[in-house]
Amino acid sequence: MTPKQRNMTTIFLESNGKILLLYREGGRVVNHVWVGCAGGHMEPEELNDAAACVLRELEEELGITPEEITDVKLRYLTTSYAKGEIRLNYYFFAKLPDGQSRKLSSNEGELRWFAPEEIPELSMAFTAHFVMEHYFKVGQYTSEIYGGVANRKNVVFVPMPERE
């Protein structure tokens, strides 16, 4: 039998040298781990527009509109096979300008800003952990989009240059 696909998006917000993460509670797919500050499942009309999904989720979950953030970029696409599903997760990064920082809350769990050096020690969702690790070692210094395939131990990333 062919496994079903689960298409998801996640966004990491950066501000003042820190990354905003969410300790996810009550989720259908991941629970009791740190993930990007907002994200979720694509609606049928979003299947060809991951950015529309992540921006909708950001506004629904944190009340942050697209006009309040800058430099929204798709940086990672991971694939994994878990619990009988092929999971595709589109990871976006964006900046929340210093003046936009305010008390943020989410009905999905606890939000907290982390310095990059704190993140490797966190209990994170599997692919999110490896996205963060790769981002701080490599991704933050490039403009590439990276594809990652998860195996049982890690995620293997390769740059995805645009083909002609």
Side-chain angles (χ1 to χ4, degrees):
M1 186 160 128
T2 302
K4 289 198 174 196
Q5 294 179 357
R6 184 178 294 270
N7 297 285
M8 300 171 284
T9 62
T10 302
I11 192 164
F12 295 104
L13 290 181
E14 300 177 77
S15 185
N16 296 318
K18 293 188 175 186
I19 302 283
L20 184 63
L21 297 177
L22 171 74
Y23 188 76
R24 182 78 175 192
E25 297 173 321
R28 288 182 286 166
V29 178
V30 292
N31 264 311
H32 308 292
V33 291
W34 292 96
V35 296
C37 65
H41 298 89
M42 291 183 183
E43 298 296 335
E45 66 275 8
E46 296 168 336
L47 285 176
N48 291 318
D49 192 352
C53 175
V54 83
L55 293 173
R56 174 185 55 77
E57 293 283 358
L58 185 63
E59 190 163 0
E60 285 177 5
E61 294 176 11
L62 302 183
I64 296 174
T65 65
E67 296 77 31
E68 295 177 274
I69 57 176
T70 62
D71 300 324
V72 180
K73 293 183 175 113
L74 173 64
R75 297 301 313 281
Y76 292 87
L77 170 60
T78 63
T79 59
S80 61
Y81 185 40
K83 298 181 181 176
E85 300 175 323
I86 301 293
R87 296 181 178 179
L88 303 170
N89 203 326
Y90 297 79
Y91 287 95
F92 289 81
F93 285 74
K95 299 206 182 323
L96 184 65
D98 298 347
Q100 295 291 351
S101 248
R102 60 184 188 273
K103 181 70 175 160
L104 297 171
S105 64
S106 172
N107 61 359
E108 306 279 337
E110 173 194 351
L111 288 171
R112 191 167 139 208
W113 291 97
F114 288 95
E117 60 273 10
E118 296 175 289
I119 294 174
E121 304 304 316
L122 298 175
S123 175
M124 295 188 77
F126 188 78
T127 58
H129 167 79
F130 290 102
V131 163
M132 288 277 84
E133 181 181 89
H134 188 272
Y135 180 75
F136 288 119
K137 287 180 182 173
V138 178
Q140 70 178 332
Y141 304 110
T142 76
S143 59
E144 299 278 356
I145 296 173
Y146 293 92
V149 177
N151 58 37
R152 287 189 173 106
K153 295 183 180 182
N154 63 13
V155 179
V156 178
F157 292 101
V158 296
M160 295 173 40
E162 186 173 2
R163 293 179 27 199
E164 294 183 22

